């Protein structure tokens, strides 16, 4: 039975097993490979997307649980926070291998929505569920502070 | 285990509690508060029965399936040995986590299949920061007084407490916690009866 949802502003309908994780629907059925498979157990954060604006680990989220909901992936992250994060990530040259970075950015976007000027403690409280095997954590922290500055009008 | 507060021989607990539970269900209202009212006519069940029932309720509330989300600090616990939750997860003001690490980020409405996968139930959360309803480290007497105190229990009447403990899907999850986790060892029906008996006793608490 088809399941309807909205992905990056577009209404889509997918006909898959209702227990299929959202991650695989995004990657395999909707050709949105920006969201990564890391652990498959909601332990690493690589698969982070937004469901109705809140973070979710798409590797453990059955597609049936998001019927009718609004999904945002890295491909659809825009607005002032998306733009600020993109600029900051580029300026700070954050990624090394890059595999975890889409999840990092999706989590950081939620943080900026809720804390316009996040402290280091806020960043720790938000980002500790996103693992980076290259240990780019120092640059991630710096880029989040910079993105907050850009989003609040302090760009350049 | 603490010694039973009443030295009289125990009647078979389930038979006694079934009888008083039926009284409670028939609409006999009791009031619980802290300090507890002393008017004996209000209690439909003798203190001794209520205290025995509390022993059962307390045993369940001290199980890791319950304590893990009623921690003494602002970090939820996990596993069978009350370990701090991985990933720096925190309670948050509303008990639902903070920022990206809200409970619902990983805990969906149902258990994720497989060992060591995130458990799930509807409305996965901790008590709020303002009313944390701590179970961890509480003695029988301390937890009992806290549970019956509407200023500390979420402003719940005894009936509402019983309803929460016997019907809330998040509480019932403790008996079907998914692969790799020990369910609450007391059968759910026995716990529900004990909860009703305790409430019907006027929420009798040990000294």
């Amino acid at each position: 039975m088809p399941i309807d949802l909205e992905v990056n502003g577009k209404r889509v309908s997918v006909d898959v097993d209702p227990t299929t994780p959202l991650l695989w629907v995004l990657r395999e059925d909707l050709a949105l490979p920006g969201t990564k498979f890391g652990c498959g157990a909601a332990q690493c954060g690589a698969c982070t997307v937004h469901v109705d604006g809140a973070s979710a680990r798409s590797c453990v989220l059955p597609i049936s649980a998001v019927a009718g909901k609004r999904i945002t992936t890295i491909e659809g992250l825009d607005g002032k926070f998306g733009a600020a994060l993109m600029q900051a990530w580029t300026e700070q040259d954050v990624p090394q291998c890059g595999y975890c970075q889409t999840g990092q950015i999706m989590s950081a976007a939620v943080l900026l929505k809720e804390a316009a000027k996040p402290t280091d403690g806020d960043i720790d409280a938000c980002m500790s569920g996103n693992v980076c095997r290259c240990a780019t954590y120092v640059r991630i922290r710096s880029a989040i502070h910079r993105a907050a500055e850009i989003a609040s009008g302090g760009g350049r | 285990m603490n010694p039973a507060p009443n030295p009289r021989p125990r009647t078979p607990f389930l038979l006694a509690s079934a009888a008083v539970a039926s009284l409670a269900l028939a609409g006999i209202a009791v009031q619980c508060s802290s300090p507890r009212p002393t008017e004996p006519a209000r209690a439909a069940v003798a203190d001794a029965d209520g205290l025995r029932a509390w022993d059962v309720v307390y045993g369940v509330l001290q199980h890791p399936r319950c304590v893990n989300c009623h921690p003494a600090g602002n970090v939820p616990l996990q596993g069978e040995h009350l370990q701090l939750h991985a990933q720096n997860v925190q309670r948050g003001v509303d008990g639902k986590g903070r920022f990206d690490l809200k409970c619902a980020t990983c805990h969906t409405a149902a258990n994720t299949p497989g060992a060591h996968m995130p458990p799930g139930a509807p409305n996965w959360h901790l008590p709020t920061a303002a009313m944390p309803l701590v179970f961890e480290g509480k003695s029988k007497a301390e937890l009992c007084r806290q549970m019956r105190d509407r200023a500390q229990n979420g402003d719940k009447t005894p009936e509402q407490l019983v309803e929460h403990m016997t019907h809330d899907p998040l509480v019932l999850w403790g008996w079907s916690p998914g692969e790799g986790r020990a369910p609450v060892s007391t059968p759910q029906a026995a716990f529900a009866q004990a909860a009703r008996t305790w409430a019907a006793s006027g929420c009798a608490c040990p000294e």
Side-chain angles (χ1 to χ4, degrees):
Chain A
M1 185 161 184
I3 294 169
D4 300 324
L5 59 159
E6 183 185 309
V7 178
N8 297 336
K10 294 178 186 170
R11 291 195 172 283
V12 298
S13 183
V14 292
D15 193 359
V16 297
D17 184 320
T19 64
T20 307
L22 171 63
L23 173 63
W24 298 118
V25 174
L26 294 172
R27 291 181 59 86
E28 304 289 335
D29 296 274
L30 301 177
L32 293 168
T35 307
K36 303 301 190 218
F37 174 85
C39 64
Q43 297 288 311
C44 76
C47 67
T48 302
V49 299
H50 299 171
V51 177
D52 288 343
S55 284
R57 304 294 191 245
S58 61
C59 69
V60 295
L61 190 58
I63 188 70
S64 58
V66 295
K69 296 189 183 293
R70 182 169 45 88
I71 312 300
T72 304
T73 70
I74 190 71
E75 291 91 343
L77 185 66
D78 54 15
K80 72 173 181 178
F81 296 127
L85 286 163
M86 185 184 296
Q87 181 181 334
W89 243 249
T90 305
E91 279 181 11
Q92 310 270 334
D93 201 12
V94 174
Q96 186 164 314
C97 86
Y99 196 82
C100 70
Q101 295 295 321
T102 56
Q104 304 278 1
I105 291 169
M106 296 305 284
S107 296
V110 169
L111 174 62
L112 293 183
K113 265 197 310 185
E114 298 186 21
K117 193 174 179 185
T119 64
D120 281 354
D122 292 336
I123 293 172
D124 290 346
C126 177
M127 304 297 296
S128 297
N130 290 82
V131 178
C132 174
R133 66 179 291 175
C134 307
T136 61
Y137 301 111
V138 174
R139 295 203 294 273
I140 289 169
R141 182 190 302 281
S142 172
I144 290 173
H145 284 306
R146 174 66 180 138
E149 185 181 55
I150 295 166
S152 64
R156 290 291 151 202
Chain B
M1 293 284 286
N2 293 338
N6 187 327
R8 81 177 184 184
R10 292 186 179 193
T11 53
F13 172 74
L14 291 181
L15 289 176
S17 58
V20 294
S22 64
L23 288 174
L25 288 174
I28 295 174
V30 293
Q31 295 292 317
C32 301
S33 63
S34 186
R36 179 177 169 228
T38 53
E39 187 181 343
R42 286 188 167 181
V45 172
D47 271 5
D49 292 328
L51 290 170
R52 276 194 286 275
W54 173 251
D55 279 355
V56 176
V57 173
Y58 178 78
V60 170
L61 301 189
Q62 289 298 302
H63 191 280
R65 297 288 79 74
C66 299
V67 174
N68 282 353
C69 288
H70 289 267
N74 282 321
V75 177
L77 308 172
Q78 64 182 133
E80 307 302 320
H81 305 290
L82 312 186
Q83 298 150 309
L84 295 176
H85 197 297
Q87 302 160 322
N88 192 29
V89 172
Q90 299 175 18
R91 180 193 302 274
V93 174
D94 62 1
K96 296 181 178 177
R98 298 185 69 199
F99 307 125
D100 173 74
L101 289 172
K102 294 191 169 62
C103 305
T105 298
C106 304
H107 297 283
T108 63
N111 292 325
T112 305
H116 310 298
M117 298 294 276
N123 194 25
W124 196 273
H125 70 285
L126 280 68
T128 65
M131 194 171 292
L133 197 56
V134 174
F135 290 1
E136 184 187 9
K138 297 281 186 183
S139 70
K140 281 184 186 177
E142 289 169 337
L143 186 52
C144 188
R145 287 195 296 270
Q146 178 179 274
M147 286 289 284
R148 73 184 187 189
D149 181 0
R150 291 180 67 167
Q152 297 185 73
N153 77 359
D155 196 27
K156 285 184 170 62
T157 64
E159 291 77 14
Q160 289 168 331
L161 271 181
V162 169
E163 173 68 18
H164 168 69
M165 291 194 288
T166 58
H167 287 93
D168 188 317
L170 189 50
V171 175
L172 297 180
W173 168 88
W175 283 270
S176 52
E179 195 175 336
R181 287 174 211 93
V184 175
S185 45
T186 301
Q188 197 274 330
F191 170 66
Q193 274 194 336
R196 293 186 192 108
T197 302
W198 175 66
S201 76
C203 307
C205 286
E207 293 301 320

